[in-house]
């Protein structure tokens, strides 16, 4: 009986010590969640989400144990043109009414070089969930003038919008499509240790 109690105590200690306890919060004043697509084969259109949130945990100084869950409100997307935004929110693209959120849940965060990481996870758009891998550049960690610890990251990647049911398009007379198939993800992120 004593051996069993010792085993339980040891297992509890290991489980407790491996749980992440350090929470980080997005600094939305210094964070931008953007996307970009090709238009008419000759230029690119950029948009961003104005409403989003994330749950972020990491106990290690190099963030190698980072875990993140992210949600963006589709209705908050903004490309600077109201008519285009309304089209993107319609069923031709995101269908904001039926699928109000885009979500991402990390599965790994691997260091691949000095300040370089690969962030893997599951991305859900229109209730379609697929794995995605993003490139991350770590900008560093500092103490701000108010004594808070901050860290900065640049996150980039690509996704095929057709994979998520965002299939609207129109063909050009010269060949090609009005809206590109591949979408760039470009995020500048600053987080504050809680």
């Amino acid at each position: 009986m004593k051996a069993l109690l010792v085993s339980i105590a040891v297992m509890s200690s290991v489980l407790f010590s491996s749980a992440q306890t350090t929470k980080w919060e997005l600094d939305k004043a210094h964070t931008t969640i953007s996307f970009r697509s090709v238009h008419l084969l000759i230029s690119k259109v950029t948009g961003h989400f104005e409403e989003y949130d994330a749950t972020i945990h990491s106990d290690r100084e190099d963030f190698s144990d980072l875990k993140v869950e992210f949600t963006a409100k589709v209705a908050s997307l903004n490309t600077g043109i109201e008519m285009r935004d309304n089209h993107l929110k319609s069923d031709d693209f995101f269908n904001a009414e039926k699928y109000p959120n885009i979500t991402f849940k990390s599965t790994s965060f691997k260091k691949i070089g000095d300040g370089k990481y690969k962030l893997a996870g599951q991305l859900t758009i229109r209730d379609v969930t697929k794995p995605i891998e993003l490139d991350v550049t770590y900008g560093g960690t500092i103490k701000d003038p108010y004594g808070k610890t901050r860290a900065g990251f640049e996150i980039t990647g690509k996704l095929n919008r057709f994979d998520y049911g965002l299939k609207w398009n129109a063909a050009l007379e010269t060949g090609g499509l009005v809206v590109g198939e591949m979408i760039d993800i470009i995020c500048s992120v600053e987080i504050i240790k809680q």
Side-chain angles (χ1 to χ4, degrees), residues 87-142:
H87 190 200
L88 288 171
K89 294 172 194 177
S90 78
D91 192 42
D92 281 346
F93 289 97
F94 289 102
N95 194 340
E97 188 174 328
K98 187 173 182 181
Y99 308 105
N101 297 318
I102 295 171
T103 63
F104 172 83
K105 184 174 183 177
S106 67
T107 54
S108 69
F109 191 67
K110 295 179 182 173
K111 190 170 187 175
I112 58 169
D114 189 25
K116 302 290 184 185
Y117 295 82
K118 290 286 187 184
L119 173 61
Q122 297 289 320
L123 178 66
T124 302
I125 301 173
R126 288 186 64 120
D127 275 358
V128 176
T129 302
K130 292 192 170 291
I132 190 169
E133 188 173 75
L134 303 167
D135 295 312
V136 180
T137 301
Y138 169 51
T141 300
I142 64 153

Side-chain angles (χ1 to χ4, degrees), residues 140-152:
T141 300
I142 64 153
K143 283 262 192 200
D144 69 18
Y146 309 102
K148 293 186 178 280
T149 301
R150 294 172 175 266

